[in-house]
Amino acid sequence: MAFLKFEKVYKIPITCLKTIRAHPDIPQDWHWAWQAGIMHGIFTLSFVSFLYSLIAVDIKADDFSKACTNGIFLVVWVVVTFQYGVVLTFKDQLKTLIRINQENFDAAESMPEEDQALIREYAYRARWVTKVWCFSCCLNCALFPIKSLVLTLYSLYIDDFRLVPWYDCSFPSVIEEIKYRPDIFCIIFSMHIFYGVYAILMYIGFCPLGFIFILNTCAQLELMAKEFTNMFNVTPYNHKVLAQKMSALIKKSQDVYDYVQLINDVFKVLYEISLKASAIMLPITLYQVIDSFKRHELCMEYMAFILTASLLCYVPCYYSDLLMEKGEALRLAIYSSGWEYQYDKSARYKLIIMLTVAIRPISIRSIFRTVCLDTFAGLCHEAYAIFNLINAMWN
């Protein structure tokens, strides 16, 4: 029976990573270098235009609303560039995580149907969340050109035709004077479209990998907890068979802890930056939305941005919290395995070792804190405090 294949189940993020040449399996040769260099160079060119608009125009003109918008796009560049750097730096670790995930899928082929169903459940849950994340990112990116197109067509409808840009930022005077000329407008529009698409491809490709690996770990922990259920309360009792099972489970628990440590090595700095960036971007974006209401405008693109930024932090926190729950459930399963019904000195020693190891929670950490729902709640409090500060200063 054909079982799960990582690249088929998670085709969306894998395809996105390959498109922007960020997949860890792509050889980093000269062919890769010029492709990645050109794409990231164009991406950086838009970043420079946003930076110029912020420093040379918005700050001098004391236009806080415009400065906030440019600041949001600058933060996106920083996060995307950092994500690309993480892929390059931890290429071998990512390949190991993917390989182990596939090995778990392959091992499930020889398991009972009930265990196979459990592996599928977690794999498909991760795929479903990946699709939701993909839809959110694509919606966020698509609203900018859609708004531009609708406003341009509307201006044509009311006989006051004007070209509406993807995002109206300021340029040096030489370009500023001609930026609405059709050919220059198309170049700028294409450059900004590329900025959005490139950023979205990186977000869709890289961000889901974290919770994909986390959910795979949850599945393995649940299988281990199931193995421990009534392990000692069996008839007839066989010391040799039990010793083999215990040794296999100890090895499995060590592998799981190593796997989680590998996830932490790859994602801990990224999660810290994502949490910090979202704590800044959410209140700024919310301020933009409220400010647009005051101008009798409806900024759907920024509302979608708030949704996407919230999901970026909430999803890892939620599934990391689930991972902690599964780790605690495993610890309880070990203690409730029925060891009190049989006096097996060797097995009890092994249980003590496993319980001692299981005291340390299985969790995903950023640099300074555990990634969990409490952390997400703290992020919301931080964002609300920053929003209140912004609102008080500029209102």
Side-chain angles (χ1 to χ4, degrees), residues 50-318:
F50 297 139
L51 185 63
Y52 173 85
S53 182
L54 173 66
I55 296 175
V57 180
D58 301 337
I59 294 178
K60 289 182 178 180
D62 198 24
D63 188 348
F64 180 72
S65 178
K66 198 72 174 292
C68 285
T69 306
N70 281 309
I72 291 169
F73 289 120
L74 295 180
V75 172
V76 169
W77 181 89
V78 171
V79 174
V80 168
T81 303
F82 182 80
Q83 288 176 347
Y84 212 122
V86 169
V87 173
L88 298 181
T89 304
F90 296 99
K91 179 181 71 171
D92 293 336
Q93 289 88 335
L94 282 170
K95 290 167 71 173
T96 300
L97 287 168
I98 293 173
R99 175 181 57 78
I100 294 174
N101 203 317
Q102 182 59 56
E103 287 176 356
N104 290 333
F105 287 164
D106 294 339
E109 292 190 51
S110 58
M111 293 180 181
E113 184 60 37
E114 184 179 351
D115 293 344
Q116 290 186 7
L118 181 66
I119 296 291
R120 285 197 190 92
E121 178 189 346
Y122 279 96
Y124 292 155
R125 185 190 299 186
R127 185 174 67 177
W128 179 82
V129 179
T130 299
K131 289 180 178 179
V132 173
W133 172 245
C134 176
F135 174 78
S136 175
C137 290
C138 291
L139 176 65
N140 194 24
C141 183
L143 284 174
F144 284 93
I146 289 174
K147 180 179 179 180
S148 173
L149 178 61
V150 169
L151 291 178
T152 300
L153 293 176
Y154 178 74
S155 68
L156 181 63
Y157 174 76
I158 62 175
D159 294 327
D160 183 24
F161 179 72
R162 62 187 180 92
L163 295 171
V164 179
W166 183 86
Y167 171 65
D168 189 15
C169 64
S170 302
F171 295 91
S173 57
V174 176
I175 302 176
E176 187 70 22
E177 294 173 358
I178 60 173
K179 70 177 184 179
Y180 287 107
R181 207 174 72 187
D183 54 341
I184 303 299
F185 177 86
C186 289
I187 292 173
I188 296 173
F189 193 90
S190 299
M191 186 175 68
H192 287 168
I193 284 287
F194 183 86
Y195 187 89
V197 171
Y198 186 87
I200 290 304
L201 287 175
M202 177 54 79
Y203 272 105
I204 296 174
F206 184 68
C207 292
L209 293 180
F211 56 78
I212 286 172
F213 299 142
I214 291 171
L215 280 169
N216 174 61
T217 309
C218 290
Q220 298 305 311
L221 289 172
E222 192 164 329
L223 287 176
M224 290 175 62
K226 181 183 173 184
E227 286 287 325
F228 274 106
T229 303
N230 296 322
M231 175 178 285
F232 289 85
N233 191 18
V234 292
T235 304
Y237 186 81
N238 190 315
H239 291 269
K240 184 177 291 186
V241 173
L242 182 66
Q244 292 176 349
K245 284 186 178 181
M246 292 288 291
S247 298
L249 286 170
I250 290 174
K251 176 64 169 61
K252 184 66 177 177
S253 67
Q254 292 172 340
D255 292 341
V256 168
Y257 273 99
D258 290 341
Y259 190 78
V260 172
Q261 184 57 49
L262 204 54
I263 297 174
N264 279 319
D265 291 342
V266 176
F267 291 94
K268 66 180 179 181
V269 179
L270 176 67
Y271 284 150
E272 188 66 40
I273 289 180
S274 297
L275 291 169
K276 295 296 185 186
S278 295
I280 297 172
M281 293 167 69
L282 283 171
I284 292 176
T285 310
L286 182 59
Y287 178 84
Q288 284 290 92
V289 172
I290 294 175
D291 190 58
S292 69
F293 286 158
K294 294 178 181 178
R295 300 192 305 268
H296 304 288
E297 297 176 1
L298 183 62
C299 291
M300 294 294 296
E301 65 274 25
Y302 293 116
M303 294 181 186
F305 193 89
I306 292 172
L307 172 64
T308 304
S310 300
L311 283 175
L312 178 63
C313 296
Y314 176 76
V315 172
C317 288
Y318 176 81

Side-chain angles (χ1 to χ4, degrees), residues 310-335:
S310 300
L311 283 175
L312 178 63
C313 296
Y314 176 76
V315 172
C317 288
Y318 176 81
Y319 285 115
S320 179
D321 210 85
L322 178 65
L323 179 65
M324 294 170 65
E325 290 181 12
K326 296 300 179 183
E328 179 63 17
L330 174 61
R331 188 177 70 85
L332 292 175
I334 294 172
Y335 187 75

